[in-house]
Structures are given as C-alpha cells and as structure tokens.
Amino acid sequence: MKGLLIAIHIGRVKTMTLKSQVSRKWRSAILKQPVSGPVWLSRTNLAGDEQADLKHHGGPDKAVLAYAAAHYPLWRQELGISEMEPGGFGENFVVSGMAEPDVCIGDTFRVGEAVVQVSQPRQPCWKLGRRWNLADLPKRAEETGRSGWYFRVLEEGWVAPGQEIVLVDRPFPQWTVARCNEIMHHRRRDRAAAAELDACPALSESWKKTLGQRR
C-alpha cells in the first residue's frame, strides 16, 4: 500500500474571533498553513506546529494528524461551503490514496526520513465546529467516519510534500480506522467489541482509557 503526502500544514496558536462570533474569543492552532519545503518531524510534533490544548491534543500518540484529501469534495457538497479546502480540518498531513477504511491501527509507514505509526482515529473537538461556524460538524465527522487519524513517530526525520507514504508493517489488519470509529461512536453498548479493541497494543492510551470505562 502506498499513499501520497500531498501537503504539510503547520500553525501557531492564535486568539481568534469569527465575524459571526465577535464576542467569543478562543485560542487554537487549527488555522494551519501549507509549507513548501522539508519539515523536521520529531517524536511529538512537526517543527513550527503548535496546539493550544496540550491536555487533549499533541503528544507522542498524536504527533501528526492526517486527513484524506478525497473527503473535501463531499464536505463542500454536503455543507455548501465552497472554500472548504484541504487543511480545513486542521490536519498536518493532507494525504491521497488512503482513507479510514484503508488504514489500520498499528500500520507503520515510511515517509521521507521518518517512520510513523497509526495510533487512533481523530475525535474532533468543538474548535472544528467553531472554525466553520457549524457546531455539529465534529459530530458529523464522527458519524460519517470521515474523521482522519493520528500518527505517532517511531523514527524522527525530514518530511516534505510530494513524498510517498509507504506501508512497511501491518500487524493488526482487523482494526481499520473505520471499524474503530464504528465501535467508538455507533456501538457504544457493545462491551465485547470495546474490550477487543482495548486489547490492541498499538492503540493510543486515551482511546484505551475510554474503552476501558465501557467494560
């Protein structure tokens, strides 16, 4: 399996307001911008990238957020937002040739000099909704399964737009990101499925904690 790293986006934390929300200031780095050249990918972050809420974002299990470019035409059609383009979900890696049904927890990929591993699906927070002035957008992302996913970094290195994302190991082919989303968001009372997913050693600690509470 090969994907393509179409673009890399990074952003600094800013205090923001939207025209329709002038009285509601909020801090986020969701408004990320594309970079043209190589970027250093460390164990916890891309150089120059930030997160406002370090309790729920960033860290070793959430070093890089990836999102499929193929989702954006669907979002533009469904939401009627013509300016929703790749990067609009605050992702770091815009990818093609891979999406939630194709990618599994524990999948290990080489991209540029770095080696990354899928750790969990993304669970969008309220800031995605505020970014687009659509409060229900995080829920819609979960319900549709078009969530994106996080990579942890196994080997640091330089990465750049245009590089291939090459699968080097798939230890848990049963745990696609799509199936994980289904268990987390649509099968909340399925304790057996929660326990089975919780037992996957490559799953992030935050998802293990949530699933463990269902057992």
Side-chain angles (χ1 to χ4, degrees), residues 9 13 19 40 46 78 80 90 92 100 172 191 195 197-198:
H9 291 78
V13 175
K19 290 182 179 180
W40 180 256
L46 285 158
E78 293 172 7
N92 302 114
E100 291 81 2
F172 307 107
R191 294 184 179 181
L197 177 55
D198 184 21

Side-chain angles (χ1 to χ4, degrees), residues 51-141:
Q51 297 82 32
D53 179 2
L54 295 177
K55 180 179 179 180
H56 298 101
H57 303 287
D61 279 341
K62 301 178 185 178
V64 180
L65 174 59
Y67 202 72
H71 293 334
Y72 282 100
L74 293 171
W75 286 123
R76 288 195 294 271
Q77 179 181 2
E78 293 172 7
L79 302 175
I81 302 176
S82 60
E83 64 270 26
M84 184 175 280
E85 298 289 345
F89 269 54
E91 69 269 28
N92 302 114
F93 282 5
V94 181
V95 301
S96 67
M98 53 199 311
E100 291 81 2
D102 314 309
V103 177
C104 304
I105 302 300
D107 276 5
T108 302
F109 296 92
R110 180 170 291 280
V111 51
E113 296 179 351
V115 177
V116 297
Q117 184 182 65
V118 178
S119 59
Q120 68 164 77
R122 181 198 190 178
Q123 291 181 275
C125 73
W126 59 270
K127 292 182 180 180
L128 175 62
R130 188 168 293 185
R131 159 72 176 86
W132 293 104
N133 201 21
L134 292 169
D136 69 337
L137 185 54
K139 184 177 180 181
R140 293 177 70 162

Side-chain angles (χ1 to χ4, degrees), residues 176-189:
T176 65
V177 170
R179 186 182 177 202
C180 294
N181 276 328
E182 179 185 354
I183 291 171
M184 180 64 79
H185 305 301
H186 299 283
R187 296 165 60 184
R188 297 176 185 270
R189 297 185 180 182

Side-chain angles (χ1 to χ4, degrees), residues 2-9 34-39 46 69 92-98 110-113 158-166:
K2 290 183 180 179
L4 182 66
L5 179 55
I6 297 176
I8 299 175
H9 291 78
V35 297
S36 57
V39 182
L46 285 158
N92 302 114
F93 282 5
V94 181
V95 301
S96 67
M98 53 199 311
R110 180 170 291 280
V111 51
E113 296 179 351
W158 293 96
V159 294
Q163 292 175 332
E164 287 187 332
I165 305 172
V166 181

